[in-house]
Structures are given as C-alpha cells and as structure tokens.
C-alpha cells in the first residue's frame, strides 16, 4: 500500500529530480522542434510529420506525454524522433492547458550541512509541493482525460485517414502520466467513469442500458515508466503492449508491474517487458543528461519502443 501512496504523491514530470532539479531536463543546445501546434476539437495538439509525407505512406502514432505536456521542448523533440522514423505523430494536450507544476524545493544552491532552519524550510516546501501535485492530479482524472483523447482520436481518423488506414489502425506510445492512458485506450472493456475511479461495467448492465461495447481505440501500444497504473489497467490491455520500466520505481511499483505482467501472460497477450536499472523515472524522454549511462539507456529504450511499433 505504501507504494501506491508514493505513486499518487510523486511529481508528474518528464524527468524525476536530477541533480536537485525537477521538471524537464535541458534539451540539446540549439535543438528546435520541427512540428506545429494546432487544434483538434478545441484541444491543442502538436503534429510532426515525416519529411516525405504525404508523398510516401506513413503510419499514425498517438504520443501521450508526461505532465509537462505538449509545449515541452523535450516532448516535441521526442515526437520528432518518431516522425523521423516514418510516423505521423499527433501529441495531444491531455491537460486542457494545465500542465503539471514544476516548483522546486529550493531556490538557491544546496548546502552540504543545512541548518535546522533550512531543513525545516525544505521540509515545508516539500510538503507544499506534494500538496500542489496532489491537487493537480485530482484535476486530471480518467473522466476528464479520456473524453479529450476520444475527441482527438475522432478528429485524427478524419484528418489523417490515409495514415490510419496505412497502419491498419492507430499506434500509441505513452510516457509517465500518458502511459496509463495508452493502456486504457488499448482495453476492450467499457469503462464507467465517476469522480474518483474508472470502473469496468458488467456486460449485463451494458445490455440493460443499451450501451454498445466498443473495442480498443488503438492497434498496439508502448509505454515507459508509467505512473498511477494499476494491475487492472495492465490486465485489461487487449492489444500488443511493450513496457519499459525502471528498477525500484515507486511510481510504478514492482508488485503492480509483476502482477500485470502475469495477467498479460495468462491471457497470451503479445507483449515485451524490460526493466532498466540505474536510471531515474522519466529517463526515456529525450533530454540532456550529464550521466552517459542514462543517455545510453535512453537510446536503448527508444529503440525498444520503436522496434515494437515497427514490428506491429
């Protein structure tokens, strides 16, 4: 249970605290994104395309970000990498203009031995930050996020029907916050939403209320270091799924991952699962890490997810 508490209170950022700094890691010097921001059904989306599209066929990839959202340079560069591999990428704003807060616990350099007063100040700041994150997460629950994604998917199927048809459906990748929603979009269960949870409706109640059960909204998915994922989310996945995880990650606890993996195996779902050691939560999102080992594994994770998409 402690793991679940940590998972809901931790910052939703592309990169967990690295060298005392929270939020996006710095992009490469001079790096600039290649796509554009537009709107589908009143939702901002970042769209980036292969250089030869539409003259050459492409496949449609839905990219769901961590809490930093569509205006993060790192997220845009991540989307551009997939576009460079032949995918037409649509990255929607899941947060309706309200990305995760990126407050830090200290505005000055860290002291080797902070005074008692400084320790108290840091503690208060940490509590305030946790409260701020909790409030943000409370504003972005499945009953708020899923309708946004469904509207974007409806628009995408119309706007880029050629790419959807060429791939035989929509591919999806999700990082951090977005990983849970790749699993939900890849589920064949019909979800009833309330103010706190996502529930699976019983088939008999669906029939009684005249509700038509829809199939998965995506063809296959790949997720990296997810947050707020339950064992049920993984068990209900019904499309091929690639899972990139971080060793000893309190945001995606071992118990949840292992039980979810066993559920995938039991239903013979096509899947690929890899746990990366010695990396922070958020490592798979493009960023300028000083640690060469993290950079190397970042590249490995991208190739793993890219390879999965291309094989399906």
């Amino acid at each position: 249970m402690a793991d679940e508490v940590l998972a809901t209170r931790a910052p939703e950022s592309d990169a967990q605290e690295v060298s005392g700094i929270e939020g996006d890691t710095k992009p490469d010097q001079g790096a600039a994104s290649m796509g554009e921001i537009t709107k589908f059904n009143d939702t901002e989306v970042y769209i980036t395309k292969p250089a030869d599209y539409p003259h050459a066929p492409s496949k449609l990839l839905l990219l769901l970000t961590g809490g930093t959202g569509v205006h993060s340079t790192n997220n845009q560069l991540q989307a551009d990498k997939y576009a460079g591999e032949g995918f037409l990428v649509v990255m929607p704003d899941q947060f309706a203009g309200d990305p995760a807060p990126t407050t830090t616990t200290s505005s000055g350099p860290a002291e080797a031995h902070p005074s008692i007063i400084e320790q108290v100040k840091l503690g208060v700041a940490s509590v305030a930050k946790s409260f701020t994150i909790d409030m943000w997460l409370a504003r972005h629950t499945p009953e708020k996020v899923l309708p946004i994604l469904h509207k974007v998917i409806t628009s995408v199927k119309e706007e880029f029907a050629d790419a959807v048809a060429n791939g035989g459906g929509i591919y999806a990748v999700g990082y951090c916050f977005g990983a849970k929603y790749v699993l939900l979009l890849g589920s064949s269960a019909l979800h009833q939403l309330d103010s706190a949870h996502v529930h699976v409706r019983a088939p008999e109640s669906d029939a009684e209320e005249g509700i038509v059960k829809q199939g998965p909204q995506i063809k296959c998915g790949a997720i990296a270091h997810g947050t707020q994922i339950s064992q049920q989310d993984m068990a209900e996945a019904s499309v091929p799924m690639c899972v990139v995880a971080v060793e000893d990650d309190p945001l995606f606890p071992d118990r949840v991952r292992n039980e979810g993996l066993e559920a995938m195996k039991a239903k013979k779902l096509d899947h690929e699962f890899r746990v990366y050691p010695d990396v922070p939560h958020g490592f798979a999102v493009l960023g300028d890490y000083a640690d060469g080992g993290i950079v190397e594994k970042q590249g490995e994770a991208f190739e793993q997810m890219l390879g999965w998409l291309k094989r399906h």
Side-chain angles (χ1 to χ4, degrees):
M1 295 299 291
D3 284 341
E4 293 179 356
V5 173
L6 284 172
T8 60
R9 296 184 64 86
E12 255 310 316
S13 58
D14 288 349
Q16 191 78 345
E17 294 182 9
V18 180
S19 302
I21 300 174
E22 182 188 284
D24 269 341
T25 56
K26 294 184 297 183
D28 294 335
Q29 294 296 321
S33 55
M34 304 298 293
E36 62 177 359
I37 297 283
T38 186
K39 282 191 175 182
F40 282 168
N41 269 325
D42 296 322
T43 296
E44 280 194 317
V45 294
Y46 176 79
I47 297 178
T48 180
K49 306 172 184 177
D52 52 1
Y53 178 83
H55 305 293
S58 181
K59 297 178 180 180
L60 198 291
L61 177 65
L62 184 72
L63 194 157
L64 304 183
T65 72
T68 47
V70 297
H71 291 281
S72 158
T73 300
N74 287 341
N75 289 337
Q76 293 180 2
L77 293 174
Q78 188 82 58
D80 291 347
K81 287 192 68 175
Y82 286 106
E85 296 291 341
F87 289 93
L88 192 164
V89 185
V90 174
M91 185 169 73
D93 175 13
Q94 305 162 88
F95 314 118
D98 178 33
T102 55
T103 54
T104 59
T105 57
S106 175
S107 59
E111 297 180 15
H113 302 286
S115 67
I116 293 177
I117 293 177
E118 286 300 317
Q119 291 180 47
V120 171
K121 288 168 62 179
L122 288 172
V124 170
S126 180
V127 171
K129 180 176 66 174
S130 294
F131 177 76
T132 301
I133 293 297
D134 284 347
M135 293 296 290
W136 180 81
L137 288 170
R139 295 196 298 272
H140 301 291
T141 52
E143 75 271 12
K144 297 290 181 62
V145 176
L146 282 173
I148 292 174
L149 297 180
H150 287 150
K151 288 180 180 179
V152 169
I153 287 172
T154 297
S155 293
V156 162
K157 287 179 177 179
E158 296 176 359
E159 183 73 15
F160 302 117
D162 58 332
V164 175
N166 184 56
I170 295 175
Y171 296 79
V173 294
Y175 295 86
C176 301
F177 183 101
K180 178 183 180 75
Y181 292 90
V182 169
L183 291 170
L184 293 180
L185 292 174
S187 169
S188 58
L190 179 65
H191 296 97
Q192 176 183 347
L193 305 175
D194 64 22
S195 60
H197 303 287
V198 179
H199 302 285
V200 179
R201 299 175 65 95
E204 56 271 21
S205 66
D206 295 341
E208 291 171 1
E209 297 179 28
I211 297 175
V212 178
K213 186 173 182 179
Q214 296 181 336
Q217 300 295 296
I218 59 174
K219 176 182 179 179
C220 80
I223 64 174
H225 36 69
T227 60
Q228 297 190 299
I229 289 175
S230 68
Q231 183 272 343
Q232 183 177 344
D233 293 335
M234 297 185 69
E236 290 176 359
S238 58
V239 300
M241 195 67 60
C242 172
V243 179
V244 168
V246 173
E247 187 176 54
D248 300 323
D249 185 356
L251 303 185
F252 194 9
D254 292 350
R255 177 184 59 79
V256 173
R257 295 200 314 260
N258 293 337
E259 290 181 4
L261 177 60
E262 289 305 313
M264 288 182 176
K265 289 180 179 178
K267 67 192 297 184
K268 295 181 171 56
L269 182 72
D270 186 11
H271 66 278
E272 182 176 299
F273 192 94
R274 180 177 172 185
V275 177
Y276 288 75
D278 305 319
V279 291
H281 179 90
F283 83 100
V285 176
L286 190 66
D288 183 19
Y289 287 97
D291 186 330
I294 296 176
V295 174
E296 180 179 351
K297 288 172 182 173
Q298 185 182 88
E300 291 175 10
F302 177 75
E303 291 300 327
Q304 177 188 347
M305 296 170 76
L306 176 65
W308 178 260
L309 297 174
K310 288 187 171 182
R311 289 195 300 273
H312 291 82

